[in-house]
Amino acid sequence: MRGFPPLHVIAFIIAFALLSIPLSHLTFARVDKKPVVQDKAQNKAEEKVPTYIRVRLAHVPASLSIKVQGQELLSPEQQKPTATSISFEAELAIPAEGLEIIASATWPEGTPNTALTLDLEPSEKQNRSLTNWSKGNKLSPTSYLFLW
């Protein structure tokens, strides 16, 4: 004997309905949004950190500009460079994705390609140093990206 087919169909529909309820909860589950809690590392990264900055050059520039997040740290109007090494301190916020510094400089006519090196020494972080070379007597605004 083979059984009664309408009874098999009804049993299949009931079994499918019972399984579809938990499967639909798993498949279409909504994630409850919990408030974002910033950990101490994120808060610390957003705090301003005293940072010692050293700019080293191969030749004395005619003008020099250093910007961080749109803020001028060293501008041509503030001081005319007279040496190949300039050092100063600044309070910088160091984000987790890195700190971008924009530097530009010009040198007197006849100056060959020259290097501009930025050294950063933030408190409680490792020192970092990056170098870029000019083309002729001009270093157009160049980005230095420091990652910790």
Side-chain angles (χ1 to χ4, degrees):
M1 290 190 60
R2 300 182 85 195
F4 187 62
L7 187 61
H8 289 259
V9 171
I10 292 172
F12 175 75
I13 291 172
I14 291 172
F16 182 75
L18 290 174
L19 285 175
S20 67
I21 293 170
L23 286 175
S24 69
H25 286 294
L26 289 174
T27 307
F28 302 111
R30 291 197 171 95
V31 178
D32 292 335
K33 293 195 176 191
K34 297 178 183 175
V36 177
V37 178
Q38 292 182 345
D39 60 289
K40 292 180 182 179
Q42 286 178 332
N43 288 338
K44 193 172 186 180
E46 293 175 7
E47 292 177 2
K48 291 200 173 196
V49 177
T51 305
Y52 180 76
I53 302 170
R54 183 180 318 112
V55 182
R56 293 183 291 147
L57 306 135
H59 300 92
V60 177
S63 69
L64 176 64
S65 172
I66 309 258
K67 293 181 184 178
V68 175
Q69 299 167 343
Q71 174 190 359
E72 290 266 354
L73 292 181
L74 187 65
S75 67
E77 296 82 31
Q78 288 177 329
Q79 77 178 58
K80 182 169 172 39
T82 57
T84 57
S85 181
I86 300 167
S87 302
F88 57 94
E89 267 196 53
E91 295 274 327
L92 301 177
I94 301 176
E97 60 272 2
L99 178 66
E100 182 180 24
I101 296 179
I102 309 278
S104 61
T106 58
W107 287 269
E109 274 305 314
T111 305
N113 293 352
T114 189
L116 188 145
T117 301
L118 288 178
D119 300 319
L120 262 63
E121 299 177 12
S123 294
E124 302 176 12
K125 292 191 183 284
Q126 289 184 326
N127 301 346
R128 296 281 191 254
S129 179
L130 292 174
T131 302
N132 278 319
W133 286 83
S134 70
K135 291 188 167 102
N137 66 335
K138 185 176 182 182
L139 178 71
S140 57
T142 304
S143 176
Y144 292 77
L145 183 61
F146 293 91
L147 300 171
W148 280 272

